[in-house]
Amino acid sequence: MEPRIKREAPSITTDLRSDTVQVPSVIRNCSGIRIFGKRIKSLIFTTDIAIILNNDADAVIAVYPFTPHPAVIQSIANVSTIPILSGVGGGTTQGKRSANISLFSEAQGSLAVVVNAPTPIDTIRQIEETVDIPIVCTIVTEYMDIQERLDAGVDILNVSGGKDTAYIVSRIRENFPDVPIIATGGPTDETILDVINAGANAISWTPPSNGELFRRKMDKYRNKERERYMQEHQGMTIEEVEDLEEQED
């Protein structure tokens, strides 16, 4: 029997979609997490509607530093073409309100709900009793009680420990070899690989801000205009053209 040849998947795009925000390709090295049959490796960490509509990640992790609101969840659900993991509080917002927002998230098609690190165990239990989608719990330090959260109904851990993320993931993996782990990958391919090698199954990645994306596009437009001008003036810059015109005068 001849060995199977692995081929690269064909890629199709258009000029209008050429500026899509692309997650780092190194994320493909992780195993991914299957949620209801959908394999999730990369999660883009944003609530920016325009970025959510123009990216190549496997899913959106929509968590933000305000009280979760149904209008935000609905707005994201209306535009996203990829699965959404919706933030439902757990810090200031707790108890029945978090459970109700979780139910609304499920009704809007969210693939999972995400609770913050301070979420009380009773709130996790209420959410677990209310919805039929996975609960993702954010882990920010190695001192958090993982087993207690898993026993309450947490299905997936979301490790966000800053520079200590890889270390926290490795400690969790030692004691919980089978628990699904999402983790922040950091700013470089090297930091992402460190987190994957530590045991993360999926990576959340923060895209450039809208302002940074605009800066890049403006730089592109400026360079294009400069090149056009120089082509029309025998390779001379505008300063060189002005100097030549002064000499001729």
Side-chain angles (χ1 to χ4, degrees), residues 6 28 44 51-52 70 84 99 102 106 117-118 144 167 176 184 199:
K6 184 177 180 180
R28 297 173 188 161
I44 193 161
I51 292 177
I52 287 172
I84 306 164
S102 297
E106 182 179 27
M144 295 177 67
Y167 169 71
F176 304 93
T184 54

Side-chain angles (χ1 to χ4, degrees), residues 148-198:
E148 183 181 37
R149 287 163 171 80
L150 295 175
D151 291 343
V154 166
D155 302 285
I156 301 169
L157 303 179
N158 173 42
V159 180
S160 181
K163 62 181 178 58
D164 296 324
T165 296
Y167 169 71
I168 297 170
V169 169
S170 66
R171 283 185 59 92
I172 293 172
R173 190 54 78 207
E174 288 176 5
N175 297 308
F176 304 93
D178 299 321
V179 67
I181 298 176
I182 300 168
T184 54
T188 68
D189 286 357
E190 289 72 21
T191 58
I192 291 171
L193 276 175
D194 286 344
V195 173
I196 293 173
N197 292 332

Side-chain angles (χ1 to χ4, degrees), residues 103-137:
L103 185 60
F104 180 83
S105 299
E106 182 179 27
Q108 291 295 311
S110 294
L111 194 66
V113 293
V114 184
V115 296
N116 294 333
T119 305
I121 297 301
D122 286 344
T123 296
I124 295 174
R125 291 196 183 102
Q126 286 186 55
I127 295 172
E128 197 275 333
E129 292 170 357
T130 303
V131 299
D132 189 44
I133 54 177
I135 300 173
V136 181
C137 182

